Amino acid sequence: MKRDELVCYLDEYLRVRAIEDSSNNGLQVGGADQVTRLAFAVDASLATFEAARASGAQMLVVHHGLFWSQPIMVTGTHLRRIQTLLDAGLSLYASHLPLDFHAEVGNNATLARWLKLEGVEPFGDYKGHPAGFAGRLSQPCSLEQFAAQVEQALGEPVLRIWPFGSETVQRVGIVSGGAGPLVGQAAEAGVDVYLTGEVSHIAYHEARELGVNVVYGGHYGTETAGLKSLAEHLSDRFGLETIFLDLSTGA
């Protein structure tokens, strides 16, 4: 498949121009003109680029790209990263908030699907866009049992559990990544447990005072979901080979 045709499809499908973001979403570094194999990874890093090159991919799709609105000099680590991409003929495509928000292959929608939530609907707000999704477990369970379900879905241990709400949970709100500060929105929505990624110091007292259970599944862990879902989508639609590069940060 032609790289530019794939980029146009991703731009439209993920609505990268419609969502305000500090990330420069879309094609960040151009490589080979033809793409038969796509690699997917959470972070743009030298280790990721070397793994993508070793996999034989012509394009790498990441959640956290190299460019974040502010100019950055092409020296030091940044130079080594870009040089690795250029030497490998490896394109780099980034999708940050668009991949969080997407209703089909997004991180939050995919997590809701992995947890088998019912009655899923948009949840929360970030600059006018639904921040995540909420739904109900088929059966109520303990907070610890829910955390175990999260661990099974992600294949990684949860980082922290804040048991500040009811002992039994059923309604779940999900916003992946570093969305701890949205705990107030979780309380307003009346969810029994709020699932997000990165442990937030500033959210601790608010969650406790509002009586909200919070499960932190890891910034990395919760943001593997959308990439895996997008890989499956592109493989089904275009017959492209895909590989997920699991370089966990444990955070």
Side-chain angles (χ1 to χ4, degrees):
M1 182 176 187
K2 291 183 178 179
R3 178 202 62 215
D4 292 346
E5 291 179 356
L6 178 57
V7 168
C8 286
Y9 177 80
L10 287 170
D11 286 350
E12 182 177 354
Y13 181 63
L14 297 173
R15 301 176 61 244
V16 299
R17 306 293 175 239
I19 298 173
E20 181 183 352
D21 197 351
S22 59
S23 171
N24 298 120
N25 296 311
L27 185 67
Q28 294 192 337
V29 178
D33 293 334
Q34 295 289 329
V35 177
T36 58
R37 170 172 274 208
L38 277 165
F40 295 79
V42 173
D43 302 308
S45 68
L46 188 59
T48 306
F49 299 162
E50 290 173 342
R53 176 172 59 185
S55 76
Q58 297 83 37
M59 180 182 284
L60 171 64
V61 179
V62 297
H63 187 52
H64 302 132
L66 285 178
F67 299 97
W68 297 82
S69 296
Q70 298 299 320
I72 181 171
M73 301 302 184
V74 186
T75 60
T77 300
H78 195 55
L79 172 60
R80 290 195 294 274
R81 289 172 172 177
I82 292 176
Q83 192 64 59
T84 299
L85 291 171
L86 295 177
D87 289 346
L90 184 64
S91 296
L92 178 68
Y93 187 98
S95 181
H96 185 231
L97 292 182
L99 192 59
D100 286 317
F101 296 163
H102 200 275
E104 297 175 3
V105 299
N107 288 319
N108 304 307
T110 302
L111 288 170
R113 190 163 58 251
W114 284 358
L115 292 170
K116 298 180 173 61
L117 298 188
E118 301 173 351
V120 174
E121 57 188 16
F123 158 74
D125 176 80
Y126 182 81
K127 295 185 178 181
H129 295 277
F133 288 90
R136 299 182 310 278
L137 297 166
S138 59
Q139 297 291 333
C141 66
S142 70
L143 182 59
E144 292 72 19
Q145 288 172 326
F146 173 73
Q149 291 179 41
V150 173
E151 290 184 338
Q152 183 175 15
L154 296 180
E156 292 202 8
V158 301
L159 300 183
R160 193 68 54 83
I161 302 172
W162 288 350
F164 298 148
S166 61
E167 294 183 1
T168 301
V169 301
Q170 185 168 24
R171 182 162 170 76
V172 182
I174 304 173
V175 184
S176 62
L182 298 187
V183 68
Q185 295 189 24
E188 291 177 5
V191 301
D192 300 316
V193 59
Y194 176 45
L195 171 62
T196 187
E198 188 171 330
V199 178
S200 173
H201 170 79
I202 63 173
Y204 178 87
H205 292 291
E206 185 177 16
R208 186 169 188 172
E209 290 163 14
L210 291 172
V212 179
N213 290 315
V214 185
V215 172
Y216 290 101
H219 197 135
Y220 176 87
T222 58
E223 293 188 337
T224 63
L227 292 160
K228 292 177 179 179
S229 189
L230 179 61
E232 183 178 0
H233 171 79
L234 294 175
S235 177
D236 291 344
R237 185 175 182 88
F238 298 113
L240 295 166
E241 297 179 24
T242 64
I243 181 171
F244 180 75
L245 306 174
D246 191 2
L247 286 81
S248 177
T249 63

